Amino acid sequence: MERIKYLSEGAYNYLNRIAPRHWSRHAFSTNCKSSMILNNLCETFNSVLKDARDKPILTHMEWMRRYVMKRNFEKREGADKYEGKFMPHITKCFKILFIESRYAKVHSSISTDFEVDYKGGSFTVNLVEHKCICFHWELTGIPCIHAMACILKQRLNPEDFVDEAYSREKYLMAYSPAIKPMPGVSHWDQTGLDEPLPPLLRRMPGRPSKKKRRKEADESTQVKRTKKSNKCGNCGGLGHNTKTCKNPPSSPKQRNKGGRPPTNNPWVNASKGRTQHKRATRTHDEAILSQTGSQPCSASTTQPL
């Protein structure tokens, strides 16, 4: 918190008003077995609803019901075909842990307690209580790098130290509730109540965005732009215009004729001189041709009489 306060006083005051269990991993509960501190779940949900967001409320709810019904079925079918105690996510994690644990040095105290040196730090591990001083094992339910090094040193099975929340059995339980299919609107029972009306349409200027999110109370909805002061065309002052100007007119400035600015580069000047010489020679030849009606002769092609 002291580092945050040093970087931003406003961020420090904002986080100080919120309980640490909502935004800091060290205060998270170990019941959920997750270290996620982002809102990716909400963003994914909003991305899925993009196709149904502009539909009426009943059509929107029916679209959501059918989507969840199909998704649960696909998840159950995939889990039934998978063979193994844990889902593929654990296999991917183990591949990374096997590689990183090679760089850890394990010091044994007893058969269950260890001290592990890894990247300049020392960590204590207890295999019976499934605890490591880094708190990653308790928080996620998956052995950390330090715990994996101890497990491999003792020649134990790493799957015995993974929480049951990642098992195939728990995965099937999460998607076991089946959503029943429903008939169309024409087969629904009539209730006699008024049909829900859509909200009043308030058309906003510009093209509507399909990726909006709810803003926090302290977030501004308008973009602030810096306002430039008016410049007077009469006196050249700021803060007023020509109509309200009471100052005498300023001296007129020389207007820029345009074109490239002059240069002192000798190569450019020499090239410009050759171009001007060719243009003058061409003009002289054209004048002689128009007077005599014959091809002008150069000094190199004339023959002495």
Side-chain angles (χ1 to χ4, degrees):
M1 290 295 290
E2 294 299 327
R3 294 181 181 179
I4 297 177
K5 187 176 182 180
Y6 175 77
L7 296 174
S8 174
E9 187 84 19
Y12 172 82
N13 296 331
Y14 173 77
L15 293 176
N16 205 25
R17 294 192 299 266
I18 306 175
R21 68 176 182 273
H22 297 303
W23 59 272
S24 182
R25 284 193 178 100
H26 82 279
F28 281 3
S29 172
T30 59
N31 295 330
C32 297
K33 302 304 176 186
S34 174
S35 60
M36 183 67 67
I37 59 175
L38 305 175
N39 61 342
N40 290 352
L41 184 62
C42 300
E43 296 295 339
T44 305
F45 183 73
N46 290 333
S47 178
V48 169
L49 296 182
K50 183 174 62 175
D51 297 336
R53 189 175 298 171
D54 56 348
K55 292 179 172 58
I57 182 64
L58 292 180
T59 308
H60 185 101
M61 298 299 294
E62 278 298 297
W63 189 95
M64 290 176 56
R65 180 194 62 80
R66 180 170 292 181
Y67 172 81
V68 176
M69 179 180 68
K70 294 190 297 183
R71 187 175 188 273
N72 286 5
F73 174 77
E74 293 173 358
K75 293 294 182 179
R76 287 194 301 269
E77 288 289 310
D80 288 336
K81 297 178 181 178
Y82 183 76
E83 297 180 358
K85 182 179 179 182
F86 293 96
M87 299 306 294
H89 174 69
I90 299 300
T91 305
K92 296 179 181 179
C93 293
F94 280 175
K95 290 181 180 180
I96 300 175
L97 292 174
F98 290 158
I99 297 174
E100 291 295 328
S101 61
R102 299 174 185 174
Y103 305 100
K105 188 175 182 180
V106 181
H107 306 278
S108 303
S109 172
I110 56 177
S111 59
T112 58
D113 292 342
F114 302 88
E115 184 176 332
V116 181
D117 294 336
Y118 180 73
K119 290 187 177 181
S122 182
F123 305 86
T124 57
V125 178
N126 188 294
L127 295 182
V128 175
E129 299 178 0
H130 291 195
K131 288 184 178 181
C132 179
I133 196 65
C134 70
F135 195 59
H136 183 273
W137 194 0
E138 300 172 71
L139 187 61
T140 62
I142 303 174
C144 57
I145 296 174
H146 323 108
M148 182 60 69
C150 301
I151 294 171
L152 297 179
K153 180 179 176 63
Q154 295 298 106
R155 300 181 182 275
L156 301 175
N157 186 7
E159 290 187 351
D160 296 338
F161 299 89
V162 179
D163 193 85
E164 290 295 326
Y166 299 95
S167 64
R168 176 175 170 271
E169 180 182 358
K170 296 294 183 181
Y171 190 88
L172 287 172
M173 288 178 60
Y175 292 100
S176 60
I179 298 179
K180 300 295 183 181
M182 290 183 60
V185 181
S186 60
H187 299 280
W188 291 0
D189 296 335
Q190 299 295 328
T191 60
L193 301 176
D194 296 336
E195 295 184 1
L197 299 177
L200 297 177
L201 179 62
R202 183 184 177 187
R203 190 176 298 277
M204 304 299 293
R207 179 177 296 179
S209 175
K210 293 186 177 182
K211 296 183 179 180
K212 291 183 178 180
R213 64 177 180 83
R214 292 185 178 181
K215 296 184 178 294
E216 298 291 340
D218 57 343
E219 286 187 295
S220 176
T221 57
Q222 296 181 353
V223 179
K224 296 183 179 179
R225 300 178 180 177
T226 57
K227 186 177 180 181
K228 296 182 179 180
S229 301
N230 296 331
K231 185 176 181 180
C232 179
N234 182 37
C235 65
L238 300 177
H240 63 279
N241 52 24
T242 307
K243 293 183 179 180
T244 60
C245 180
K246 299 180 180 179
N247 301 325
S250 61
S251 58
K253 298 181 180 179
Q254 292 184 353
R255 296 184 60 182
N256 188 10
K257 296 182 180 180
R260 295 182 180 178
T263 178
N264 295 325
N265 191 331
W267 185 86
V268 175
N269 293 333
S271 177
K272 188 183 300 183
R274 289 193 298 269
T275 304
Q276 293 177 354
H277 176 71
K278 290 180 180 179
R279 187 179 297 115
T281 304
R282 189 183 303 111
T283 305
H284 181 263
D285 293 344
E286 290 176 355
I288 295 175
L289 181 62
S290 62
Q291 293 177 3
T292 61
S294 59
Q295 183 70 22
C297 299
S298 60
S300 59
T301 59
T302 57
Q303 298 292 336
L305 296 175

